[in-house]
């Protein structure tokens, strides 16, 4: 953790945005937004443009206790910027920059998967001389749901010979599925091997 205040860290980062991404250029610090009809307002820590001309909202958090506000603020600022400037959602990106990602990694990963804007995270490092460095945070992948399918197949055979051939094919399919890591396939394979046609 740095001894710099968040406002000092913001001003320092605004002069060195290249530690986040090449081609970022600051537009303004503490960029004010408001929507009078909705009665809401906010201030973007750093509003920037990237090398492709997209608008970039940079939300800075210096400590763990304030990191919980980051997603609320990013979502609010993106919506206000869209409404105020009439920007399409794909013209706005968001970066959450924090010195501590303990409380941010899980919620930011979840939001980044479902949000219409490009959302990225950076862990900011400040040395004793005030030099900045940043690492892009690897967000968590979606956790695959593992379940046994609700779809069941009923096989009807015209003869015992066709039925035996069908059982062999089912057992081979289950063995391949278990090798591929399909949930429940290993268990089903064991049961399938013991099943006897009636």
């Amino acid at each position: 953790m740095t001894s710099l205040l968040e406002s000092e860290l913001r001003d320092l980062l605004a002069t060195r945005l290249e530690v986040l991404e090449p081609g970022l250029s600051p537009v303004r610090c503490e960029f004010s937004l408001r929507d009078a009809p909705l009665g809401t307002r906010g201030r973007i820590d750093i509003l920037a443009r990237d090398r492709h001309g997209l608008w970039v909202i940079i939300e800075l958090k210096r400590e763990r206790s304030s990191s919980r506000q980051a997603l609320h603020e990013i979502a609010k600022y993106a919506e206000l910027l869209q409404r105020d400037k009439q920007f399409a959602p794909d013209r706005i990106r968001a970066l959450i920059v924090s010195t501590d990602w303990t409380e941010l990694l899980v919620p930011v990963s979840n939001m980044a998967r479902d949000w219409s804007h490009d959302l990225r995270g950076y862990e900011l490092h400040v040395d004793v001389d005030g030099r900045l460095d940043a690492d892009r945070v690897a967000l968590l992948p979606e956790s695959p749901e593992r379940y046994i399918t609700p779809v069941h197949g009923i096989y009807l055979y015209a003869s015992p010979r066709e039925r035996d051939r069908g059982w062999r094919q089912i057992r081979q399919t289950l063995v391949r599925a278990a090798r591929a890591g399909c949930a429940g396939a290993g268990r089903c394979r064991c049961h399938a091997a013991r099943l006897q046609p009636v």
Side-chain angles (χ1 to χ4, degrees), residues 2-50:
T2 177
S3 61
L4 294 173
L5 299 173
E6 191 168 302
S7 59
E8 295 171 323
L9 193 54
R10 179 203 62 223
D11 294 343
L12 182 61
L13 179 60
T15 64
R16 300 181 189 160
L17 289 179
E18 70 279 356
V19 301
L20 302 178
E21 292 180 8
L24 278 180
S25 58
V27 173
R28 187 176 311 155
C29 289
E30 291 293 302
F31 184 81
S32 294
L33 293 164
R34 66 182 291 209
D35 190 317
L38 295 176
T40 187
R41 64 181 60 195
R43 288 179 189 263
I44 297 172
D45 286 338
I46 302 171
L47 181 62
R49 300 289 295 265
D50 70 11

Side-chain angles (χ1 to χ4, degrees), residues 2-198:
T2 177
S3 61
L4 294 173
L5 299 173
E6 191 168 302
S7 59
E8 295 171 323
L9 193 54
R10 179 203 62 223
D11 294 343
L12 182 61
L13 179 60
T15 64
R16 300 181 189 160
L17 289 179
E18 70 279 356
V19 301
L20 302 178
E21 292 180 8
L24 278 180
S25 58
V27 173
R28 187 176 311 155
C29 289
E30 291 293 302
F31 184 81
S32 294
L33 293 164
R34 66 182 291 209
D35 190 317
L38 295 176
T40 187
R41 64 181 60 195
R43 288 179 189 263
I44 297 172
D45 286 338
I46 302 171
L47 181 62
R49 300 289 295 265
D50 70 11
R51 62 184 170 202
H52 305 291
L54 300 178
W55 295 92
V56 183
I57 297 168
I58 301 173
E59 181 60 27
L60 179 64
K61 293 299 172 198
R62 188 180 73 86
E63 53 192 49
R64 190 181 302 184
S65 62
S66 65
S67 66
R68 294 176 186 221
Q69 303 163 344
L71 289 180
H72 169 80
E73 291 171 344
I74 282 287
K76 179 179 174 180
Y77 300 159
E79 183 67 21
L80 287 174
L81 189 61
Q82 243 179 274
R83 290 175 174 276
D84 186 46
K85 302 298 183 192
Q86 301 296 304
F87 294 146
D90 63 353
R91 303 292 302 156
I92 299 172
R93 299 176 52 219
L95 307 181
I96 296 178
V97 180
S98 180
T99 56
D100 186 317
W101 272 82
T102 307
E103 289 292 325
L104 282 170
L105 183 59
V106 171
V108 171
S109 297
N110 182 272
M111 185 172 174
R113 285 191 298 270
D114 298 332
W115 206 33
S116 60
H117 305 283
D118 177 31
L119 175 59
R120 299 177 187 189
Y122 289 88
E123 185 169 1
L124 191 64
H125 311 284
V126 185
D127 71 14
V128 292
D129 297 325
R131 285 190 296 260
L132 295 180
D133 190 25
D135 294 312
R136 184 165 173 189
V137 174
L139 300 179
L140 301 172
E142 186 169 4
S143 197
E145 181 180 2
R146 298 186 71 142
Y147 64 94
I148 296 176
T149 179
V151 178
H152 303 282
I154 297 174
Y155 299 92
L156 302 175
Y157 302 102
S159 71
R161 186 172 164 202
E162 287 181 24
R163 180 194 58 212
D164 292 344
R165 188 171 38 136
W167 274 114
R168 279 192 300 276
Q169 289 173 339
I170 290 169
R171 282 193 294 265
Q172 289 169 356
T173 301
L174 288 172
V175 168
R176 284 193 302 273
R179 281 191 209 125
C182 295
R187 182 170 176 244
C188 292
R189 183 187 70 212
C190 296
H191 288 196
R194 288 196 300 259
L195 290 175
Q196 296 298 319
V198 289

